Amino acid sequence: MPLFPSSSSINTAFTAPSSKKTENFWIRAPAESKAGIKLYSTDYYLACTVGGIFACGPTHAAVTPLDLVKCRRQVNPILYTGNFQAWRSIIATEGFGGIWTGLGATLVGYSLQGAGKYGCYELFKKKYADIVGEETAHKYRTSLFLVASASAEVIADVFLCPWEAIKVRTQTTIPPFASSVFDGYKKITAVEGVAGLYKGLTPLWARQVPYTMVKFASFERTVEAIYDMLPKEKSEYSMLTQTGVSFLGGYIAGVFCAVISHPSDVMVSKINAEKQPGESIGAAVGRIYGKIGFAGLWNGLPVRIVMIGTLTGLQWLLYDTFKAAVGLPTTGSKK
């Protein structure tokens, strides 16, 4: 019976050792899921891609009010004194819908990013494991998680970048730069062309690639550690417990993600809001850093820790729930 590497395993060709720790890491599964999806087939990766949309789009959209305040405080630290004061101020001046500024671009952009991130991660993880061989992949599985997730994020960010540019420009201008995601698209391309939607790609990679590497690798190993501490085998726990482990592992991973990627997140917001026409990315970064300094790169970090921790936990919860719903194993579970 082949081994199935859900989010916590790598290669179907591995032979699971008898130790409890390794047994908790690897998952035995039949060649097909309950839904008839053949593992590592086109349908399998398509299911993971859809799961990524389900995990990322709605969750990022749900925290739009937090993201709005975070972006505005990154651009102007003295604009608000706190989250609740910010929301009261925005509602008073822009109406209740004001706290949802950027919702459309967030939903579209992060749905596309989630598709690329999760679908490509599962694909690269399998392909890279096949290249290096089962023993090397198992021994250096953390490195494999890091490389696979980095490769996936590079592709995912190409899908995200245009919508992130619209979102940030809309959220950091008062009154908002655009009335909708499509209005923002038309306004940016009319003045700057399609290239204007990608001027933040390099800093987006600088933010998202380390973020995703930490997100996936720390999640994989955290879930492994959680199951290793529990008294029973994973297969003995209910689906509710297994997805609960996914949420906890995701939240812990999210805290690490927020800290690692925050300086780049601040710079992405600043560049999208303040980059001058004809100015190179390097020149913009140097000018902005000269104005805000090292301390300015950490503006809004506490808000982002709460936001990203919750976001990442919910993403893994939804991803594993979706996989279970279509008959695929959840992270670390036995079929």
Side-chain angles (χ1 to χ4, degrees):
M1 184 179 294
L3 296 173
F4 172 70
S6 172
S7 295
S8 288
S9 53
I10 301 171
N11 197 318
T12 56
F14 292 169
T15 302
S18 60
S19 69
K20 182 176 183 295
K21 180 175 181 180
T22 306
E23 193 169 290
N24 281 342
F25 181 76
W26 301 105
I27 306 164
R28 292 188 179 278
E32 293 188 358
S33 71
K34 291 180 181 179
I37 299 175
K38 186 176 180 180
L39 301 182
Y40 316 116
S41 65
T42 300
D43 287 344
Y44 168 75
Y45 293 118
L46 179 61
C48 294
T49 298
V50 174
I53 295 173
F54 183 62
C56 293
T59 50
H60 276 277
V63 296
T64 296
L66 269 174
D67 187 46
L68 172 65
V69 175
K70 179 213 62 157
C71 286
R72 287 186 176 180
R73 294 184 74 182
Q74 286 175 343
V75 173
N76 185 357
I78 63 173
L79 183 61
Y80 306 119
T81 58
N83 291 340
F84 291 105
Q85 184 273 329
W87 291 326
R88 286 195 300 267
S89 175
I90 293 169
I91 292 172
T93 58
E94 303 173 38
F96 180 76
I99 64 174
W100 296 97
T101 298
L103 174 64
T106 299
L107 182 60
V108 174
Y110 284 92
S111 292
L112 294 174
Q113 187 218 31
K117 178 182 296 192
Y118 282 87
C120 291
Y121 174 67
E122 297 286 1
L123 175 65
F124 285 129
K125 189 168 60 172
K126 173 67 164 63
K127 295 302 182 183
Y128 292 162
D130 288 344
I131 291 171
V132 301
E134 60 186 60
E135 291 185 8
T136 301
H138 181 200
K139 183 177 180 180
Y140 299 104
R141 58 188 181 274
T142 299
S143 297
L144 189 60
F145 299 148
L146 291 169
V147 175
S149 58
S151 301
E153 189 60 35
V154 167
I155 295 173
D157 287 346
V158 175
F159 299 135
L160 169 63
C161 192
W163 314 102
E164 180 76 356
I166 296 168
K167 177 189 80 73
V168 172
R169 184 83 66 89
T170 303
Q171 289 181 331
T172 55
T173 52
I174 303 174
F177 167 76
S179 59
S180 70
V181 59
F182 298 110
D183 181 45
Y185 181 91
K186 288 188 293 184
K187 285 183 175 179
I188 292 176
T189 55
V191 176
E192 305 175 49
V194 175
L197 297 170
Y198 285 93
K199 67 183 183 181
L201 182 58
T202 299
L204 186 64
W205 276 331
R207 180 189 80 185
Q208 288 296 132
V209 172
Y211 167 90
T212 299
M213 293 170 71
V214 173
K215 172 181 177 176
F216 280 85
S218 60
F219 172 78
E220 297 271 14
R221 299 313 296 260
T222 298
V223 168
E224 177 184 349
I226 291 172
Y227 277 121
D228 197 44
M229 292 185 290
L230 294 176
K232 297 188 292 185
E233 296 301 316
K234 295 178 211 139
S235 58
E236 299 178 59
Y237 290 103
S238 67
M239 191 59 63
L240 180 63
T241 299
Q242 291 178 22
T243 52
V245 169
S246 295
F247 175 78
L248 178 59
Y251 198 98
I252 293 171
V255 173
F256 291 115
C257 291
V259 175
I260 289 293
S261 63
H262 193 72
S264 294
D265 184 63
V266 172
M267 194 58 70
V268 167
S269 296
K270 288 284 192 180
I271 288 173
N272 279 307
E274 301 180 20
K275 184 177 179 291
Q276 299 169 357
E279 186 179 32
S280 69
I281 293 293
V285 169
R287 178 177 57 80
I288 292 169
Y289 183 79
K291 182 169 67 174
I292 66 175
F294 181 77
L297 294 174
W298 302 98
N299 288 332
L301 179 60
V303 176
R304 193 158 185 265
I305 286 176
V306 173
M307 185 181 81
I308 297 300
T310 304
L311 198 67
T312 308
L314 288 173
Q315 285 175 357
W316 283 109
L317 171 65
L318 292 173
Y319 183 65
D320 271 352
T321 299
F322 177 84
K323 289 179 72 177
V326 298
L328 295 172
T330 62
T331 302
S333 65
K334 288 185 178 181
K335 187 72 174 174

